[in-house]
Amino acid sequence: MPTAVLTARALLLDMDGTLVDSDAVVERLWRAWGEEHGVPFEQVLRVVHGRQGYATMAELLPERPMELNHADNARMLAAETSDVEGIVPIPGAHRFLAALEAGALPHALVTSADVALATARMTAAGLRIPRPRITAESVGASKPDPEGFLKGAAELGMAPADCVVFEDSAAGIAAGLAAGMRVVGIGPRAAAHGPTVAVPTLEHVTVDPLPGGEGLTLTLLVEDAQPAIAS
């Protein structure tokens, strides 16, 4: 596989599809939601990943009052938080997070989940929860708005251009690029949505600190003939 190399001062990490494989739960509950509201599951599946629930609902039911979406979102969050059947870590996630911790490399979680859901899913996957963490409670707009990633960079004291985002979804990749950051796409959904580079799993990522402690190097085994070096 071709190799790409990125340098950065900090990493901003999505959760679902990036650190945690929650597809089984998401698809189970959102399939039921689609049936309840007469929305074909294929349409739901095209937009559900990476967004807060109310934003997904607004996309699928554009005439529906937003207050109903927010109320329904609260119900869905409760259901998702209580259902962790099938939650597993993305391959390589344990090693990846351990490398960041061992090297004291700056990183933050930026997720569309709220604190309760993020805690439930990371715990079910046996993963530590990165801090700082930017969750649904931290932002006024869902991905693909860049607010969450910009807040994550600010929490770490970093300029956007010094950060690399790890994402899997169309909404998340768009948010990272809109924030002025480079984006590593993770998993089967990512490559189609224009990340800087894409890898199949976190097993294809190696993290090393730069000499002097001023950042890190990412060595990526990329999915296709992407650039050998991406700045």
Side-chain angles (χ1 to χ4, degrees):
M1 297 177 75
T3 300
V5 178
L6 297 173
T7 59
R9 295 190 64 199
L11 303 182
L12 301 176
L13 312 175
D14 174 51
M15 182 183 71
D16 291 302
T18 300
L19 298 173
V20 171
D21 182 349
S22 58
D23 281 5
V25 178
V26 171
E27 293 178 11
R28 182 163 59 244
L29 294 178
W30 280 92
R31 181 187 294 274
W33 181 92
E35 291 174 353
E36 180 183 348
H37 293 88
V39 181
F41 183 59
E42 294 74 16
Q43 292 183 26
V44 176
L45 200 58
R46 281 198 290 269
V47 298
V48 69
H49 293 291
R51 303 171 189 262
Q52 291 190 45
Y54 74 84
T56 294
M57 295 168 190
E59 182 81 10
L60 294 168
L61 300 173
E63 304 302 321
R64 191 189 200 203
M66 188 58 75
E67 60 266 24
L68 293 183
N69 293 336
H70 282 287
D72 209 5
N73 183 53
R75 178 179 67 86
M76 288 293 289
L77 277 173
E80 290 183 290
T81 301
S82 65
D83 185 352
V84 294
E85 184 179 352
I87 298 286
V88 294
I90 292 293
H94 285 284
R95 179 187 60 82
F96 176 72
L97 290 174
L100 294 179
E101 186 168 11
L105 302 173
H107 61 288
L109 185 70
V110 182
T111 176
S112 294
D114 64 5
V115 170
L117 181 56
T119 301
R121 287 187 174 167
M122 292 290 284
T123 301
L127 299 172
R128 69 170 183 84
I129 302 176
R131 290 182 179 273
R133 61 188 185 189
I134 305 299
T135 62
E137 295 95 337
S138 309
V139 298
S142 172
K143 299 172 185 175
D145 191 283
E147 180 185 1
F149 288 121
L150 293 172
K151 284 195 171 183
E155 285 280 337
L156 294 170
M158 301 292 177
D162 290 329
C163 298
V164 169
V165 166
F166 278 64
E167 264 286 1
D168 72 299
S169 68
I173 291 167
L177 295 173
M181 302 172 184
R182 292 156 293 161
V183 179
V184 175
I186 303 294
R189 284 188 288 269
H193 302 298
T196 309
V197 293
V199 297
T201 71
L202 290 171
E203 294 174 305
H204 297 76
V205 180
T206 301
V207 185
D208 295 297
L210 286 172
E214 289 301 315
L216 56 94
T217 298
L218 298 167
T219 304
L220 310 158
L221 298 178
V222 301
E223 291 193 301
D224 51 31
Q226 298 173 58
I229 298 178
S231 60

